[in-house]
Amino acid sequence: MALAIFDLDHTLLDGDSDHAWGQYLVDQGLADPEQHKLRNDYFYEQYKAGTLDINEYLAFALKPLTQYPLQHMLDTRAAFLKARIMPLISQKSRDLIAHHKRLGDTLLIITATNGFVTYPIAELLGIEHIIAPHPEMQDERYTGNIVGIPSFQQGKVVRLQEWLQQQGFELAGSYFYSDSHNDLPLLEIVDNPVAVDPDDRLAAIATQKGWPIISLRDQE
């Protein structure tokens, strides 16, 4: 038995849940289409370059949660999961999850996308454990802030080490599946790093290091 760790966006999902959520808010008239696109494109370019200011981005991503009643956002999220997330879950992703469950491994998602969006996605995938930026709440309302260190780049390692200590797990025999060079700090410390439909930078590094490169995309 080992720990099987998964990135979420463009890894287990054939797309980006954060971007899909933002677009869904625009489509539902809950976010300004022009301004949201400009900001989203700005942050996405930073992400690809490995220079994303995660705190600035999370403030942008969480702002809509502060502007509407909680129940309205929960209802919107439920509709979003059905309409936009379910189609992004490939059979290959489901098969990989099932494979690790058959082995008796402990499954964990670790993602930089905020927990309001990703906690229920982990449930859809049948994965019990998830580490994500945790949105802060006060008086049953979201504040737009997060609790603790964002799980992004080196922050994923920090959050994972905290989780390992809390759960009493070790990294011996561990796997980590990711598509992004932003996850190199975590890929470097597991026993079995796996590049999944990787970006160009990660593909080059994985090839150089002899890491497996796989695809979880269903062929049309």
Side-chain angles (χ1 to χ4, degrees):
M1 294 185 294
L3 182 61
I5 309 168
F6 304 89
D7 179 45
L8 182 63
D9 297 315
H10 298 290
T11 301
L12 287 180
L13 296 181
D14 186 8
D16 189 303
S17 60
D18 224 353
H19 184 272
W21 171 245
Q23 186 58 52
Y24 191 74
L25 294 179
V26 168
D27 294 344
Q28 299 302 308
L30 299 175
D32 179 84
E34 184 174 340
Q35 289 301 314
H36 184 88
K37 184 179 187 305
L38 285 173
R39 294 289 285 169
N40 212 33
D41 289 349
Y42 164 75
F43 288 121
Y44 186 56
E45 290 304 317
Q46 283 190 337
Y47 176 81
K48 290 191 295 183
T51 60
L52 177 66
D53 184 328
I54 188 62
N55 291 297
E56 184 182 11
Y57 177 70
L58 286 169
F60 162 74
L62 292 171
K63 186 176 180 180
L65 298 183
T66 71
Q67 297 174 317
Y68 301 98
L70 175 59
Q71 190 58 52
H72 182 62
M73 297 308 289
L74 293 173
D75 292 343
T76 300
R77 182 181 67 182
F80 159 74
L81 294 172
K82 182 177 181 180
R84 303 291 170 89
I85 294 300
M86 290 299 293
L88 299 180
I89 303 174
S90 71
Q91 186 58 49
K92 286 184 178 180
S93 288
R94 294 186 185 279
D95 291 345
L96 180 61
I97 291 167
H99 167 73
H100 280 286
K101 286 185 174 182
R102 285 194 299 271
L103 293 176
D105 295 336
T106 298
L107 278 60
L108 167 69
I109 290 171
I110 183 162
T111 175
T113 299
N114 74 81
F116 181 82
V117 172
T118 57
Y119 293 156
I121 297 176
E123 293 182 17
L124 285 176
L125 292 167
I127 295 179
E128 179 181 1
H129 302 288
I130 179 170
I131 296 171
H134 184 67
E136 181 185 60
M137 292 192 76
Q138 292 181 359
D139 301 323
E140 298 186 355
R141 292 189 65 90
Y142 287 103
T143 67
N145 300 318
I146 65 163
V147 178
I149 296 171
S151 42
F152 177 64
Q153 294 180 338
Q154 185 62 30
K156 284 193 175 184
V157 175
V158 173
R159 290 286 305 278
L160 176 61
Q161 289 172 337
E162 293 173 350
W163 184 87
L164 291 170
Q165 186 173 19
Q166 292 166 0
Q167 299 290 327
F169 289 133
E170 297 181 351
L171 281 179
S174 58
Y175 291 78
F176 180 41
Y177 297 88
S178 176
D179 72 293
S180 175
H181 70 273
N182 284 292
D183 284 336
L184 282 168
L186 184 47
L187 287 162
E188 293 278 7
I189 67 170
V190 297
D191 286 347
N192 299 286
V194 182
V196 179
D197 299 290
D199 60 38
D200 290 344
R201 182 174 169 190
L202 178 56
I205 292 172
T207 299
Q208 179 184 19
K209 292 181 175 288
W211 295 346
I213 299 175
I214 67 170
S215 176
L216 294 180
R217 306 293 165 255
D218 289 336
Q219 300 299 318
E220 297 182 0

